[in-house]
Amino acid sequence: MRLSRYFLPLLKETPKEAEIISHQLMLRAGMIKQQGAGSYTWLPLGLKVLNKLTRIIEEEQNRSGAIQLLMPTLQSADLWRESGRYDAYGKEMLRIKDRHERDLLYGPTNEEMITDVFRTYVKSYKDLPLNLYHIQWKFRDEVRPRFGTMRSREFLMKDAYSFDLDEKSAVDAYHRMFVAYLRTFYRMGLTAIPMRADTGPIGGNLSHEFIILAETGESQVFCHRDILDKPIPPLETDFRADLTPIFEDWTSLYAATEDMVDAAAYEAAVPEDKRVSARGIEVGHIFYFGTKYSKPMGASVTGADGKETDVHMGSYGIGPSRLVAGIIEAFHDENGIAWPVSVAPFEAVVINLKVGDAGSDAAAERLYADFLGEGIDALYDDRDQGAGGKFAAADLIGVPYQVIVGPRGLKDGTVEIKHRQSGERETLSIEEAVGRVKSLIVPNRRDSL
Ligand code: P5A
């Protein structure tokens, strides 16, 4: 992408309405624009990050055996009357009437609708297990939408729903998604800690939130420090492998949110020097709720014995639009965002310090073309303006590697590489630059676990 032709509306001043750093930086870096309370336009740079996250999520969902579909945002109130949640959900649900005075709602989640899809088509135990997911906008009329896309009213969610014949196999599906989540957040550069959590309006009694630690997190969390260093389980090739031992290993160390913590149990389970009590951001949440929806909605299958059984269900959410903000909370400094490679809007930026100078233009153009040729997602700052503004922009938007091209270096055939996260700089020959940057990027894409 040539910056001169891109749409990147950067702000010089920090907008006053933004209380936390990720919200400030997303506005300043031209990633989002507020449209109303808890409602945002995703500008091109923000959308690029959002798309990188959803791509990682899709890859890991597909690997775990889940199958993607797409359900509408508007739902019929009648479906929710069947489950009993239409009245129970309360004010967070946005209720709408169409021209025929029919009651609709903007979906805050999709348990009812997926159960309706399931009951229409699936009649036999032979079609189980089944896990269906989509990535779709949701609306929740939050009491306090705040912190930008961290807690918005309209937000993106990946929601998956599992269907199994019995509790044992449903819990296996839960374990499978648990491991898929560990891998998903790791690939985004994050350390996400699974913690026992409250189930709220979704229901059931088995539930984990995936939490990233950050001072601006909305809830207090308690866990054993060793969870933070646990290695991520490798990809199993058979998606029906039993992942219970991995689940048990991870959950044997104490970790709970403030709603679930039992102070005495926490202190008994975790030695004093291993106790982590910190603020956390919930980036994912998984639930097992048995037949809560299948029973009232008639989602049953014929078992091997010819008997009808209500299917056992779970649901599994990730918030990609919240994650964009969460990742920035984890990766920033005083100059701006410092993205991990795997989720960066661009992997490298070529900064031409002297646009109009024939040598600089030729070298920068060639580097940019070579990056694209090598499959690197590169940005080219070809704007005719001063070096200071270009450095500041590159630091603000957080591209992991900057390749700085100017007449001074080119005199001896060199360019400079700046590593955004560490600040480290290297001077090397123009011929070596693309290969060197590629060798830094590829392992950090984390796409070959
Ligand atoms: C699980 C999938 C559910 O709704 N039903 C379908 C279950 N879970 S949840 O925890 O309520 O939401 C799942 C994830 O969505 C994100 N999220 C939000 N992101 C931004 N703004 C919000 N207001 C918001 N509310 C929820 C979170 O990442 C949450 O884990």
Side-chain angles (χ1 to χ4, degrees):
M1 181 59 62
R2 283 168 197 275
L3 196 42
S4 63
R5 295 195 204 146
Y6 199 44
F7 183 62
L8 182 66
L10 301 180
L11 304 182
K12 288 237 157 56
E13 306 296 325
T14 301
K16 280 193 241 8
E17 74 272 17
E19 296 169 59
I20 62 170
I21 189 73
S22 58
H23 188 194
Q24 294 169 359
L25 289 172
M26 285 175 80
L27 292 167
R28 283 188 53 213
M31 295 177 67
I32 52 168
K33 177 195 179 302
Q34 183 163 5
Q35 301 295 161
S39 149
Y40 294 87
T41 289
W42 287 81
L43 298 170
L45 194 79
L47 181 61
K48 221 153 171 286
V49 177
L50 195 60
N51 285 340
K52 289 209 174 176
L53 296 182
T54 54
R55 174 94 175 264
I56 291 173
I57 293 168
E58 284 167 359
E59 284 180 11
E60 294 304 328
Q61 290 293 291
N62 297 346
R63 280 174 166 176
S64 81
I67 305 161
Q68 192 170 22
L69 45 59
L70 184 58
M71 292 176 271
T73 52
L74 293 186
Q75 306 189 21
S76 147
D78 286 339
L79 265 185
W80 287 64
R81 291 190 177 110
E82 286 189 54
S83 71
R85 271 209 299 185
Y86 187 63
D87 295 323
Y89 212 93
K91 290 203 159 184
E92 273 194 14
M93 181 189 279
L94 180 65
R95 293 152 209 259
I96 303 164
K97 269 197 203 302
D98 70 8
R99 66 200 301 163
H100 308 292
E101 293 291 306
R102 275 190 291 252
D103 291 325
L104 301 178
L105 57 101
Y106 195 117
T109 176
N110 284 56
E111 279 79 9
E112 283 79 357
M113 193 177 269
I114 199 75
T115 305
D116 178 57
V117 171
F118 180 92
R119 70 181 172 186
T120 304
Y121 301 108
V122 185
K123 308 286 181 195
S124 162
Y125 74 97
K126 290 183 187 152
D127 298 321
L128 302 182
L130 184 64
N131 192 321
L132 299 170
Y133 78 97
H134 73 163
I135 299 179
Q136 177 62 290
W137 294 92
K138 305 287 187 283
F139 192 95
R140 291 183 185 172
D141 206 347
E142 300 275 351
V143 202
R144 245 159 84 66
R146 56 178 183 159
F147 300 162
T149 66
M150 188 80 88
R151 179 169 297 280
S152 47
R153 295 205 296 170
E154 192 172 349
F155 62 95
L156 195 57
M157 193 197 288
K158 182 288 298 180
D159 36 328
Y161 304 87
S162 63
F163 301 88
D164 284 87
L165 191 58
D166 52 32
E167 175 164 357
K168 157 95 181 57
S169 121
V171 170
D172 285 345
Y174 184 93
H175 294 163
R176 175 158 310 287
M177 205 49 78
F178 182 98
V179 174
Y181 275 36
L182 293 176
R183 298 169 50 81
T184 302
F185 296 122
Y186 169 79
R187 286 188 56 187
M188 297 172 182
L190 295 169
T191 303
I193 311 161
M195 301 196 171
R196 272 314 289 255
D198 193 17
T199 57
I202 307 294
N205 50 25
L206 173 61
S207 175
H208 286 84
E209 284 180 12
F210 287 74
I211 302 275
I212 58 174
L213 301 183
E215 279 162 29
T216 47
E218 290 191 286
S219 56
Q220 188 71 21
V221 298
F222 305 85
C223 72
H224 194 298
R225 179 170 301 286
D226 290 355
I227 304 184
L228 299 170
D229 307 317
K230 275 183 103 51
I232 299 303
L235 180 67
E236 68 293 344
T237 45
D238 175 0
F239 72 77
R240 293 189 183 194
D242 182 10
L243 302 178
T244 310
I246 297 178
F247 173 80
E248 285 175 349
D249 176 41
W250 274 77
T251 53
S252 65
L253 292 170
Y254 196 95
T257 61
E258 62 193 345
D259 304 325
M260 295 296 281
V261 72
D262 169 339
Y266 172 57
E267 280 162 27
V270 188
E272 212 171 329
D273 60 329
K274 294 279 190 185
R275 286 182 202 151
V276 178
S277 159
R279 304 299 294 177
I281 301 169
E282 175 204 323
V283 287
H285 199 163
I286 62 178
F287 304 81
Y288 166 67
F289 42 71
T291 59
K292 172 170 174 181
Y293 302 90
S294 58
K295 197 194 251 326
M297 295 185 67
S300 59
V301 294
T302 315
D305 55 4
K307 284 203 197 109
E308 282 289 299
T309 355
D310 297 322
V311 290
H312 287 249
M313 293 174 59
S315 73
Y316 314 89
I318 294 184
S321 51
R322 171 178 292 180
L323 268 164
V324 175
I327 294 169
I328 295 173
E329 290 293 325
F331 296 98
H332 67 268
D333 60 21
E334 63 284 2
N335 298 320
I337 308 167
W339 297 108
V341 167
S342 61
V343 299
F346 295 97
E347 295 174 313
V349 52
V350 177
I351 302 178
N352 183 347
L353 293 182
K354 197 142 194 192
V355 172
D357 169 73
S360 300
D361 288 351
E365 288 283 346
R366 196 184 116 197
L367 285 165
Y368 175 56
D370 287 352
F371 273 125
L372 297 186
E374 290 291 331
I376 305 285
D377 190 0
L379 178 67
Y380 174 24
D381 191 347
D382 60 341
R383 295 172 303 167
D384 189 4
Q385 65 168 61
K390 293 190 171 197
F391 292 140
D395 279 356
L396 175 62
I397 67 171
V399 181
Y401 300 100
Q402 303 170 6
V403 181
I404 301 157
V405 183
R408 201 182 304 163
L410 289 176
K411 269 204 317 246
D412 356 290
T414 64
V415 295
E416 193 177 29
I417 297 173
K418 179 179 164 191
H419 301 226
R420 176 66 184 85
Q421 280 187 353
S422 66
E424 188 186 334
R425 290 171 188 271
E426 305 174 40
T427 300
L428 59 176
S429 77
I430 184 159
E431 289 76 24
E432 291 167 318
V434 171
R436 170 70 180 146
V437 172
K438 188 178 178 187
S439 76
L440 294 165
I441 287 172
V442 171
N444 284 311
R445 282 181 179 155
R446 297 195 172 185
D447 55 3
S448 56
L449 278 181

